[in-house]
Amino acid sequence: MELSTPAGLESLARAVAERLGADRTEKDGNTGRVRIAYADGRALELTPNRPRTRITVTAALPEQATAYGIEVKAITITALPRPRPSESQAKATARRTADHIRQRLLPAHTAALAELRERTAPQVDTLQRAESALAGFLDRPRGGVAISEQPVRLPLGLTARCAVAWWHTLDGPSRAVAPFMADALRRAQLATTEQHGSGYVFFAEPPAQPSDARFRIAPAAGGEGWDLVDEFTGACVRTYDDREWAQGIAESANGEADAARRAQVASMDLPGLSADLIEDEQFRALAVELATTGHMPYGLPEIDYTQTPGFHIYPSAEPGTAKVARLLEPWGAIRPGARCEAPEREVERYDKDMEAYARLLTRPGRTVAVRLDGVQVTFSEPPTRP
């Protein structure tokens, strides 16, 4: 077996992967290395060494491990043992290589991942910072802030403990409130992950040296497909069937994260708020008040707005005044200024929602009035523009 050639190394890697119960093998670009990957995301790299009868095997670790000084020493294997009776040289090489990996490398790999899990577990001061950041979310009869640790299946071969926050209701976590809780946590300098379609918000201390690629893809921890993983919190954003599609989403997410970092803003966008109101605390407070009482902010990508009305807050021409609109797709069904186009039952729902919005938003320091195109909220002390 010629181990110095790509074909020979790939052949050995496939045979070793089968003996180790790994998922697949893949070439590592044009580096000459071949990667053995497990379904849970663990990976080993085989590199040809000199003389040609030797190979080096390295266990891959997440980027976070470097920050904590956690490493696994590579092993070198003489890969051309004497075959057993009725055993070919190729099978003997695969057997010896797999035995050395199993005995010398995998235990150290597992121990390193376990240590990383413990080192990256949520700390008390992180949880306290989160509690302080979410103190403005006043508990209500049907909801309140909840913070805890949750075991999360990560593409690391192990289960990790992650800090998570959510708005608790009798029906479970509220998706409507999750973006605003994540925004508050980011404003407290915490990194957050909002899982697609979920009311949970994972959070963690951001790394001291942020990676250029915050989001990456890995074999799905829960089965087939590819997870989009946030390296900062360790949580999975969403699972995709197609690898190329998942990689494209990861690149887009990394671009958005970099743009937010360069713009020095907590949130590039927030559902239910027009872009020029996101940085204003008083207007964000209006959105939080509506969301925490069960109303859906307009702009969540996984919400069917042909069935679920969404509120949208935008600035009025008058200083210190906001308009709160109720939107239901398709746009021609009902929208500000075109109520008569909607079916009678929708007009009735629209009027009831507008009255509900007005009741919720009425409090000292504000004047609230129901108009044909939505609810007008005027602040006694107009908010200053950022």
Side-chain angles (χ1 to χ4, degrees):
M1 177 179 288
E2 181 55 78
L3 299 180
S4 62
T5 66
L9 193 62
E10 288 176 45
S11 177
L12 173 63
R14 287 193 295 270
V16 172
E18 183 176 354
R19 287 177 175 272
L20 295 176
D23 184 57
R24 69 189 187 284
T25 63
E26 55 191 27
K27 292 175 62 177
D28 188 6
N30 296 320
T31 63
R33 298 189 294 265
V34 179
R35 179 178 289 253
I36 295 177
Y38 289 81
D40 59 18
R42 289 175 298 159
L44 308 172
E45 289 185 347
L46 276 62
T47 307
N49 204 343
R50 293 182 180 181
R52 295 180 179 180
T53 59
R54 297 167 68 86
I55 61 171
T56 298
V57 187
T58 306
L61 289 173
E63 292 183 4
Q64 295 167 305
T66 303
Y68 293 100
I70 300 173
E71 61 179 8
V72 177
K73 292 184 178 180
I75 64 172
T76 300
I77 303 169
T78 301
L80 291 179
R82 178 179 298 176
R84 293 172 179 173
S86 303
E87 184 181 48
S88 67
Q89 182 63 66
K91 288 186 176 180
T93 299
R95 169 179 53 78
R96 179 183 177 86
T97 303
D99 287 346
H100 275 263
I101 291 174
R102 190 180 293 111
Q103 296 168 15
R104 298 168 54 196
L105 189 61
L106 293 185
H109 194 194
T110 300
L113 292 172
E115 182 182 356
L116 179 62
R117 179 184 61 182
E118 293 301 318
R119 299 285 292 273
T120 57
Q123 303 298 310
V124 173
D125 57 344
T126 301
L127 299 177
Q128 290 176 342
R129 283 178 60 197
E131 290 179 357
S132 297
L134 300 176
F137 287 73
L138 300 177
D139 290 353
R140 300 174 184 274
R142 291 181 57 84
V145 171
I147 298 175
S148 71
E149 295 179 24
Q150 280 194 2
V152 178
R153 294 182 64 184
L154 301 179
L156 303 175
L158 292 171
T159 298
R161 299 200 314 272
C162 293
V164 63
W166 70 96
W167 182 259
H168 177 75
T169 72
L170 296 177
D171 298 324
S174 170
R175 183 69 185 103
V177 189
F180 304 106
M181 297 184 72
D183 173 73
L185 292 169
R186 287 191 294 271
R187 291 176 189 278
Q189 308 303 311
L190 292 168
T192 67
T193 302
E194 295 175 66
Q195 291 184 308
H196 183 84
S198 167
Y200 292 106
V201 179
F202 291 86
F203 63 92
E205 298 287 346
Q209 297 293 332
S211 168
D212 292 336
R214 171 176 177 174
F215 296 92
R216 66 179 180 86
I217 62 169
E224 297 182 356
W226 296 86
D227 285 342
L228 175 62
V229 179
D230 183 349
E231 288 278 8
F232 286 9
T233 66
C236 170
V237 181
R238 191 178 185 183
T239 301
Y240 298 88
D241 295 329
D242 183 78
R243 180 176 184 175
E244 291 186 6
W245 181 262
Q247 185 60 49
I249 297 296
E251 293 172 0
S252 176
N254 281 321
E256 292 177 6
D258 184 59
R261 179 184 58 80
R262 285 186 281 105
Q264 295 183 329
V265 297
S267 304
M268 295 290 283
D269 58 76
L270 278 173
L273 281 168
S274 65
D276 52 350
L277 298 184
I278 291 171
E279 289 301 308
D280 195 293
E281 293 185 6
Q282 295 191 70
F283 289 137
R284 282 205 314 276
L286 299 180
V288 170
E289 289 165 25
L290 291 169
T292 53
T293 51
H295 295 284
M296 191 63 64
Y298 187 82
L300 292 174
E302 68 275 8
I303 302 299
D304 181 3
Y305 288 103
T306 62
Q307 303 294 326
T308 304
F311 69 80
H312 181 66
I313 302 174
Y314 59 100
S316 173
E318 303 174 34
T321 302
K323 285 290 184 69
V324 183
R326 173 197 183 277
L327 303 179
L328 181 70
E329 289 183 338
W331 289 96
I334 188 166
R335 62 187 180 192
R339 297 174 58 225
C340 57
E341 298 179 13
E344 184 177 347
R345 64 180 182 278
E346 291 297 343
V347 173
E348 184 178 351
R349 288 178 62 194
Y350 182 93
D351 290 337
K352 288 182 177 179
D353 280 351
M354 290 298 95
E355 293 170 1
Y357 290 177
R359 286 194 300 270
L360 288 170
L361 300 178
T362 299
R363 61 184 57 203
R366 302 175 190 165
T367 300
V368 180
V370 179
R371 310 292 190 192
L372 285 176
D373 60 347
V375 173
Q376 179 173 290
V377 181
T378 304
F379 294 93
S380 300
E381 297 181 3
T384 57
R385 295 287 178 176

